Every structure is written in structure tokens, then in C-alpha cells.
Amino acid sequence: MTTLYDVRRGMAGTIVGLPSGAELRSQCIRLGLMIGASFQCLERLPGGTIVLETHRQEIALGNALAREIEVVMEKE
Amino acid sequence: MNDRSQPSSEDLTDVMPHAAHRHVDSSAMRFMGSDKKKLVLVGNPNVGKSVFFNHLTGLYVDVSNFPGTTVEVSHGHHPKFAVFDTPGIYGVSSFNDEERVARDIILEADIVLNVVDAVHLERDLFLTLQLIDMGKKMVVCLNMMDEAKLRGLTIDVEELSNRLGVPVLPTTAIHRTGFDGLDQHIAQACTGTSDSRLHRQLHDLLNRVGSQEEALMVLEGDSVIAERHGIEPGDERELIYVERRNRVNRILDRVVTVSEQKRTLAHTLGRISISPRWGLPFLLVVLYGLYLFVGSFIAQDVVGFTEKTIGDRIFEPFVKDQVARIAAVDITVEKIGLDAAGKETTLGSRVFSFPDGTGSNGNLKDEMSKYRDGGTNNLHYDFKSPVAVVFFGEFGAFSMTVTYLLFLLLPLVLGFYVSLSILEDSGYLPRLATFVDRSLNGLGLNGRAIIPLILGFGCVTMATITTRLLGSDREKRIATTILQFAIPCSAQLAVIAALLATAGVKATLIYAAVIFTVFIAIGTALDKALPGTSSPLLLDLPPMRLPRAGNVLQKTWTRTLSFMKEATPWFFVGALAVSVMQVTGVLDSWTKLLSPVTTGWLKLPAEASTAFVMGLVRRDFGAAGLYQMHLTPMQVVVALTTITLFVPCIASLMVMIKERGAREGLVIWAGSWVLAFGIGGLVALAVL
Ligand SMILES: Nc1nc2c(ncn2[C@@H]2O[C@H](COP(=O)(O)OP(=O)(O)O)[C@@H](O)[C@H]2O)c(=O)[nH]1
Ligand SMILES: [Mg+2]
């Protein structure tokens, strides 16, 4: 299973699974992080804090959250 | 519980305009009580709400805590409306205090003015659609049109308005562009086009809840609103959210066109600030700037003048002079001159005794004036009556406390809030939170905690109040503890820095290493010991932009005022308590009690215990007391370690008790006695 945690800077992909906590999931959806949303990784900091762009919007996620979001990477 | 008349209309929108006044148990209703119609500003964070608010309300603004919370709500008046500003939110729900407050205020609103950021419609329209689904009577202001243009976004405003079913006014708030039509725009407020499928579901609930907006909240699983009506919250939230998100995307496909995006300098800076390679240098540059402004300019130059000159040499002698006329007092006059190197030095001193006050011994008073004549003096008033000591003595409520608050704390707090507002408005703060997130995770915090931690170096009391913005109780507890233990506030930092400068590089390194280790150890230990997990970072990063002076000053002013209002009483309480301990001799016996520990365990001179006890009043007093003791460099390390970890000042204890409750506050307070002397002693064992 690939998660946002495994994504590297510059990669693009699609979200296919959200975190298990209901509240966290709702908060993600509000920001546009939902199943089917495509994203591009703008930065990955050491330790796994991820900054991505989806729908022209930059979002930062802590590593614990990144590990809970399942993704499919685009082929280069 | 639910005894209101039930609306019978088939059409949901018909029941809307007055429905908001009906729900029970609303502290919002009392809080917002007004004859005028209530206009409520709603929007995501940083979209320009406050600029609209200031424009609509003018000067007379009331900022107060929403009942039962620590969330601040601004309230002002427009000729036609009572206007309320709400905290920035991503949606109407109850994931945190701010959202709950915004929700309650929105439920009470007669008209909602929804400000959206034209550059971030993807994010902002979620809230807009939710407000529409609630059936609120509303208008939208499409703000930041200048930036949208800069970024090559073209927005079809008419199409957007058609799709939403509410009027949309394009604006650039900072230039007042579009504000001419604002009043007329608000007059056209109406309910929008809500999701048709939702509509049906809401209808079933409507009979039980009484209004469309509350029905939606219940359907979206809001347990508070559900409880108000004695029904079970729904479990449809996620479905509704996903569908709403899709609606946003569909609307935007039609409404927004993007031409070639220009990469601005601000954009590049934004990237640099979170890059693994350049983020740290960038942060260091920012911190250096912060040091130059707050640490050097404000803390040394400004405070040096306000505290030393205005406070100690003008204000306090003036106040004490008035009291000395009628109160028994010994006045010590210390003549100050400059030595060869241009530093201040004591030329001589003399004690003048006035057993019946200066008013009844004109001769001696003249003599004193003559002695004082020419040049600078330090005056020390030793009042004989306990009452005079409590109010006007060394720690007096009307002498030291006023100097401390107005001439030391106020400039520092202003300096810190200016910096914070600049960092916030520039968009750097969320990027900094992102950059440090992983480092703070180990302490059980996420990146957002960087804000109180930085503020702590200004004033721990102020920082403790700011822990409110953290996501969970667990994080608030950890951050508060770290602040109270391991962060020296600026008042103290100045004295610590001066002492370390005399003690040398080795002493400085040891001191820094010890404090840093304790800082990490406390966070790590609490993270391990406290049940539960902390909330992960989830932030949207606003664009970097040049902060506006007007907005920065406005924020600084509001924050400073509210901090001073909140903290001032506690500084007085603290000073009174200590003065009373001073005149009753409790302070002395405390010092005596501590001196065996000081000499035996910390291996410091007995007088150092006075310095520690002084630290109860003002942390810098504690450190300042160490100056005169001619300590060896390693003794300085021990003394400073102890005093840094030692209990916070009384004001900060009081605020902590208010924020965290008496039990937790006192546990932390007591813990810092143990920790300070424990670690101080261990360091003494190691280095002395
Ligand atoms: N470029 C630009 N900046 C704006 C505009 N409106 C507000 N701002 C800036 O955006 C920042 C956030 O504004 P503020 O009113 O504090 O937002 P709030 O959090 O919604 O209250 C401030 O720096 C404002 O000066 C606008 O129309 N254009
Ligand atoms: Mg605001």
C-alpha cells in the first residue's frame, strides 16, 4: 500500500483512501483531500511532513496523517 | 424541551428568516442580543473579514470572549446592523472551539456576509455552499480580486452568482475597491440554491428541529445541536461533505479560467521557506530579524529608556515622593556618575531618615535636595508602615507593578505582537509550522505549537494564553508545561544573557545544553506519559504576501489591549501577595528555609536563596539578584539553570490556573520547584 508518506517531491498522484478517524476524514474532505482528488507533491520534509497542491491549493500534512492517506502514483 | 410552534411550510426557504431566533439554550442569543438586525461576517481564515469588519463598523468595536470559551469575538455597529466578526473557519461544524463559536453566531445571524478569497475559491466555496445549504440569508464578497488578477485567474462573477443563487460582489478590500456598492449589496441578501437531494432529507428533519439550518447541522452529525432538540445526530456528514466538495469543483470548472500563472517573488519565498535545504537558513534569517527588532531594539533600547529612565527615575520617585510626605521613610540617595569608560557608576550614597514624613522636616528635605543636586540619582525608599510598603514599596502595587506593566511588559508585548502579526499576515507562520512540525512531534506537539513557544520568549504569561489555539487538551497541557518550565521570558533573558556574558563561552554552552535537554525531556516524557495521541498537522498554506501596515497595527493593538486587560489584574494580585509576604516576614522565612538547600545542595552562597524567592515576583528580579554575588562561572551555570527552571512569575501562574484549572496549574507550579532544585543540584554535582 502506498501512502502520502511515500510520496517524493515533484510526484503526482490520486488519493484512494482516507484516514480512519471520522473527524479527521471530514476535515480532509473540507480541504479537498478526498477520494479521487489528484495532487502534486510540492515538498517532502525530512521525517515525512508533506506539502501538496490539489485544486490550486497548498496543504501541509504531518507525517502521521500522511501515513494514513492512501494514494496511487502517476506513472512517469 | 422543544415547545416552539412547528413550521408547516412545504418550502424550506419560507421558514428561514425568523427561524434563527427560536432555538433553545443559546448563549449566543444572549451574547448577541440586539435591537438591530444581526449581520455576521463569515469566511475562511485570512480572507479579509477584518478589513470588511473595520470598514463596516468604524472605530467603536467591542472585543469580548464568547461565553464559556476563550474565543474572542468582535462586535461593532453599522447604521443598520449590529455587526459580528467570527473566527476564520473552513466549515460550520464543531471540530474545535472556534468552529463551535462561529456556528452559534451564524445560527443567530439575520444576514451572513460571506467573504471568500478569489484566489482560493476551491477552499472557500465549501463553506459558502454549506451556508447556502443551511438556508441562510446571505451575500458573498469575492475578495482579493487584485491577487486573482496577478495570478492570471479570470472569474465569471455573474455565472458564479447564478450558480450559487446569491449576489456576489467582487472586491479588493485593502484598496476599498467595490466597497461603494457594499451597503446596497448587503441589502440584496437572499437564500441561495441549495443541494436538491439534501433538501428532501432536510425536510424530514425540519418538523422536529424547526429550522433548515439546525436540521442541516443535525444531519451533518453535530451532537450539540442534536442534543438541543433531544434527537440523535445524523451520520451523513461524510456523504454530504463529499457531495458538496464535488459541487464546488463543478461550479469552479465553469466559473474560473486560469491563464499562464506568473511565479512571483512571494511565491518563490514561500517555497524556500519550506524547503529542506533552505528552510533552516530562512528561519535563521527571520529569527535574527526578530532578535534585532524585539531582542535588541525593544528589549534593550526601548525598555532601557522606559523602565530605567521613565519608570525607575521619574515615575516611581514621583509616586513615592507623594507618599513620603506623610509616611515614615528612610530615603537612600545614590549619586550616579559616569566612569572613564562611560559606564554608570555610584559616586556616593547617603541615607536620609524622615520618621514623620518629608512634609514635617523641611530642613532635611532641603539638605537631601542639595545632595541630589546635579546629575542622576537612584532613590530607594524604605517605608516604615506595612501599608505603605504593600502599595508603594519595593514590590508595591502602585510602584513596581505599574512600572513593570507599563514600562517593561507593554513595550515587549507590543514588539512581539507586531512581529507575530507580520509573520502571520505574510503567510510565513503556517509555513514555519510546517517546517518544524516533525521536530515538535517528538514532544507530543504539532507544528502549530511553534507559535506559543516563540511567544514564550517574550512573555510566558502571553504565551500561555496563546496555547488556546492548539488542537487538543493534551497539546495544551504539554505546551503549557514546557513554557512554564523551560522557556525563559524576555525580562529574564536579558539578565541571563548579561550574566552569561561575564561567565564565558563554556558556561554559556553548558547552560544552553542543560536547558535544551530539559526542554526536550519534559516534552518527550509528557508525550509518553499522557494518554491519547496529539492531533496531526493539517493546514492550508495561504500565499505569501507583503503584510499591510494598517492591518498589522490593528491586530497588534487588539491583541495587546486584550492581553493587558486579561493579565493586568493578575500582576496586581501577584504583587500584593508578595508585598504582604514581605511585610509579614514570610518572604524572609522562605529565604531562610531555602538557604540550606542553596548552600548544601546547589553549593551557592546563602544570599542566592533571596534571588530565588525574588523570582516568585518577577523572574528577572531573581536573575538580577545574582549579579551582586561574584559567582564563579560554574556557579553562574548552576544558579541560572535553577532560576530558569524555577517557578514562573505569579501572573503567569494565575493565568495558567485560569487556562488549565487549579489542579493542573498547581501541580506544574509545585513540579517546577522540584525540577529546578533537582536539576540545579545535579548540575552542581557535575560542575562544582
Ligand atoms: N492583496 C489583498 N490583500 C488583502 C485583501 N483584503 C485583505 N487583505 C490582506 O489579507 C490579510 C488578511 O486579512 P484579514 O482581514 O486579517 O483576514 P481575516 O482573517 O479574514 O480577518 C491581511 O494582510 C490583509 O491586509 C485584498 O483584497 N487584497
Ligand atoms: Mg480577522
Side-chain angles (χ1 to χ4, degrees):
Chain A
M1 183 180 98
T2 317
T3 68
L4 265 185
Y5 183 78
D6 310 310
V7 169
R8 293 293 176 270
R9 180 184 166 161
M11 290 179 167
T14 307
I15 294 176
V16 295
L18 289 179
S20 50
E23 244 175 51
L24 208 47
R25 216 160 48 226
S26 297
Q27 279 171 292
C28 287
I29 297 171
R30 279 201 316 204
L31 284 175
L33 299 177
M34 49 193 231
I35 293 176
S38 54
F39 64 86
Q40 198 190 0
C41 176
L42 300 180
E43 197 60 84
R44 181 187 193 277
L45 286 156
T49 310
I50 299 282
V51 179
L52 52 77
E53 181 169 334
T54 172
H55 295 289
R56 276 205 308 280
Q57 151 115 6
E58 292 181 21
I59 298 169
L61 305 96
N63 81 91
L65 181 54
R67 281 175 215 266
E68 283 203 66
I69 297 180
E70 213 178 320
V71 297
V72 173
M73 302 310 300
E74 243 167 49
K75 300 269 170 331
E76 247 112 90
Chain B
M1 190 174 157
N2 191 347
D3 60 356
R4 67 189 73 95
S5 60
Q6 301 296 343
S8 56
S9 168
E10 283 290 314
D11 186 352
L12 284 170
T13 53
D14 279 351
V15 304
M16 262 315 299
H18 306 289
H21 294 281
R22 277 192 230 115
H23 59 81
V24 272
D25 186 272
S26 173
S27 41
M29 210 157 109
R30 261 167 283 129
F31 179 71
M32 297 171 66
S34 164
D35 315 334
K36 292 198 227 164
K37 281 205 168 179
K38 286 168 280 223
L39 176 67
V40 172
L41 289 164
V42 183
N44 283 241
N46 286 312
V47 294
K49 285 186 303 300
S50 297
V51 183
F52 278 84
F53 180 79
N54 294 335
H55 173 80
L56 287 167
T57 57
L59 277 177
Y60 303 100
V61 172
D62 171 47
V63 181
S64 48
N65 279 358
F66 191 79
T69 71
T70 49
V71 179
E72 276 167 356
V73 174
S74 311
H75 167 210
H77 286 276
H78 173 269
K80 288 203 200 113
F81 308 102
V83 187
F84 295 85
D85 199 2
T86 54
I89 48 170
Y90 297 104
V92 189
S93 53
S94 40
F95 296 150
N96 57 41
D97 262 4
E98 262 135 37
E99 290 191 6
R100 283 184 279 270
V101 166
R103 176 201 65 200
D104 282 348
I105 295 179
I106 291 168
L107 287 174
E108 279 299 316
D110 295 306
I111 296 175
V112 168
L113 172 59
N114 176 210
V115 182
V116 300
D117 177 348
V119 183
H120 277 142
L121 284 177
E122 282 82 0
R123 179 194 69 178
D124 292 20
L125 282 191
F126 184 89
L127 174 61
T128 306
L129 288 185
Q130 195 178 21
L131 291 165
I132 289 173
D133 288 341
M134 287 172 84
K136 293 302 304 189
K137 200 170 160 187
M138 62 187 280
V139 291
V140 170
C141 284
L142 185 60
N143 195 33
M144 309 264 183
M145 286 303 279
D146 56 333
E147 284 204 2
K149 201 168 150 202
L150 218 64
R151 287 162 174 255
L153 298 177
T154 317
I155 300 166
D156 185 342
V157 178
E158 208 177 295
E159 178 67 11
L160 179 60
S161 174
N162 285 339
R163 297 237 157 199
L164 297 176
V166 298
V168 177
L169 178 71
T171 59
T172 301
I174 44 164
H175 299 140
R176 302 276 183 273
T177 314
F179 278 20
D180 289 344
L182 192 55
D183 279 358
Q184 206 191 340
H185 181 57
I186 296 171
Q188 290 165 0
C190 63
T191 53
T193 319
S194 55
D195 186 323
S196 49
R197 239 179 310 167
L198 253 185
H199 212 86
R200 203 144 359 102
Q201 279 177 297
L202 285 176
H203 190 250
D204 296 338
L205 258 178
L206 192 58
N207 287 335
R208 292 200 282 164
V209 174
S211 74
Q212 178 175 347
E213 47 191 342
E214 291 187 69
L216 183 70
M217 292 292 98
V218 172
L219 206 60
E220 289 184 1
D222 190 308
S223 52
V224 178
I225 305 291
E227 199 177 311
R228 276 181 204 167
H229 298 283
I231 52 182
E232 282 290 303
D235 54 4
E236 311 264 340
R237 181 170 68 216
E238 214 167 308
L239 285 173
I240 299 176
Y241 276 21
V242 168
E243 183 45 38
R244 190 172 288 144
R245 227 17 286 171
N246 287 327
R247 260 160 80 211
V248 170
N249 295 346
R250 281 199 300 274
I251 292 177
L252 290 181
D253 282 346
R254 286 305 183 85
V255 167
V256 180
T257 37
V258 193
S259 58
E260 187 52 46
Q261 274 196 30
K262 284 192 213 119
R263 288 280 180 247
T264 57
L265 174 66
H267 181 91
T268 312
L269 284 179
R271 281 303 167 76
I272 287 176
S273 70
I274 48 167
S275 114
R277 185 170 308 160
W278 298 108
L280 189 60
F282 191 89
L283 171 59
L284 291 178
V285 169
V286 170
L287 286 181
Y288 184 65
L290 210 63
Y291 165 77
L292 285 184
F293 177 59
V294 184
S296 176
F297 173 66
I298 303 265
Q300 287 167 33
D301 301 347
V302 175
V303 170
F305 175 72
T306 53
E307 191 197 14
K308 293 281 165 323
T309 305
I310 302 186
D312 291 352
R313 290 194 181 145
I314 300 177
F315 169 75
E316 288 201 35
F318 173 79
V319 172
K320 290 174 180 177
D321 259 346
Q322 311 307 313
V323 183
R325 274 187 214 181
I326 50 159
V329 62
D330 287 349
I331 302 177
T332 311
V333 180
E334 198 186 349
K335 292 184 80 151
I336 303 291
L338 298 181
D339 64 11
K343 282 181 89 178
E344 287 193 352
T345 171
T346 306
L347 299 175
S349 74
R350 205 178 133 187
V351 182
F352 298 86
S353 293
F354 297 95
D356 302 304
T358 56
S360 53
N361 193 345
N363 290 341
L364 189 60
K365 199 180 172 195
D366 288 343
E367 209 182 317
M368 186 172 78
S369 309
K370 226 193 277 151
Y371 184 76
R372 284 179 62 174
D373 191 35
T376 321
N377 310 128
N378 276 342
L379 299 172
H380 180 79
Y381 291 73
D382 186 5
F383 290 108
K384 300 301 170 200
S385 129
V387 178
V389 171
V390 166
F391 289 104
F392 303 99
E394 198 180 350
F395 312 120
F398 296 114
S399 45
M400 182 204 79
T401 310
V402 175
T403 307
Y404 191 49
L405 278 172
L406 292 184
F407 304 128
L408 179 101
L409 208 53
L410 183 60
L412 282 172
V413 168
L414 276 171
F416 262 87
Y417 277 146
V418 167
S419 315
L420 184 72
S421 307
I422 291 176
L423 291 181
E424 184 177 63
D425 279 13
S426 67
Y428 179 56
L429 218 49
R431 288 179 172 78
L432 174 60
T434 306
F435 188 71
V436 300
D437 180 57
R438 183 62 235 218
S439 327
L440 292 180
N441 284 170
L443 311 178
L445 298 169
N446 76 42
R448 295 170 63 127
I450 195 68
I451 297 168
L453 291 182
I454 288 183
L455 285 180
F457 287 99
C459 168
V460 171
T461 312
M462 165 172 79
T464 305
I465 294 177
T466 323
T467 55
R468 286 171 193 170
L469 63 80
L470 301 182
S472 68
D473 210 44
R474 185 176 197 268
E475 286 151 80
K476 289 175 196 171
R477 183 170 294 169
I478 295 175
T480 307
T481 312
I482 291 180
L483 279 170
Q484 303 276 342
F485 280 135
I487 308 266
C489 66
S490 57
Q492 201 185 13
L493 214 51
V495 191
I496 292 177
L499 267 166
L500 285 174
T502 64
V505 178
K506 190 177 160 208
T508 308
L509 289 179
I510 299 179
Y511 167 79
V514 170
I515 298 298
F516 187 69
T517 309
V518 172
F519 172 88
I520 303 289
I522 291 174
T524 315
L526 282 175
D527 185 38
K528 292 268 181 317
L530 292 175
T533 51
S534 295
S535 60
L537 187 76
L538 175 58
L539 278 181
D540 75 296
L541 303 180
M544 296 281 277
R545 54 167 80 100
L546 206 61
R548 300 266 150 187
N551 206 54
V552 167
L553 293 180
Q554 176 86 34
K555 275 187 185 173
T556 304
W557 177 241
T558 326
R559 284 174 175 164
T560 307
L561 204 67
S562 107
F563 168 72
M564 292 309 274
K565 265 203 266 181
E566 193 155 356
T568 298
W570 300 119
F571 282 95
F572 280 104
V573 169
L576 275 178
V578 170
S579 294
V580 168
M581 292 198 298
Q582 188 191 18
V583 300
T584 51
V586 174
L587 214 53
D588 272 343
S589 34
W590 226 336
T591 309
K592 286 209 191 77
L593 208 69
L594 278 184
S595 60
V597 184
T598 310
T599 51
W601 171 238
L602 298 179
K603 301 186 192 126
L604 295 175
E607 308 94 78
S609 57
T610 317
F612 296 138
V613 174
M614 289 299 108
L616 290 172
V617 195
R618 273 174 54 169
R619 301 194 80 179
D620 54 327
F621 271 19
L626 300 172
Y627 260 139
Q628 285 96 36
M629 282 174 220
H630 306 292
L631 302 172
T632 66
M634 288 305 123
Q635 280 182 318
V636 168
V637 171
V638 174
L640 287 184
T641 304
T642 312
I643 218 154
T644 304
L645 299 177
F646 192 50
V647 292
C649 70
I650 292 198
S652 141
L653 169 68
M654 296 301 184
V655 166
M656 174 168 60
I657 286 178
K658 192 176 154 220
E659 293 288 318
R660 308 291 323 142
R663 220 191 74 180
E664 188 173 328
L666 289 173
V667 166
I668 294 177
W669 193 75
S672 69
W673 282 79
V674 177
L675 196 80
F677 284 96
I679 306 270
L682 291 180
V683 174
L685 280 180
V687 301
L688 286 178

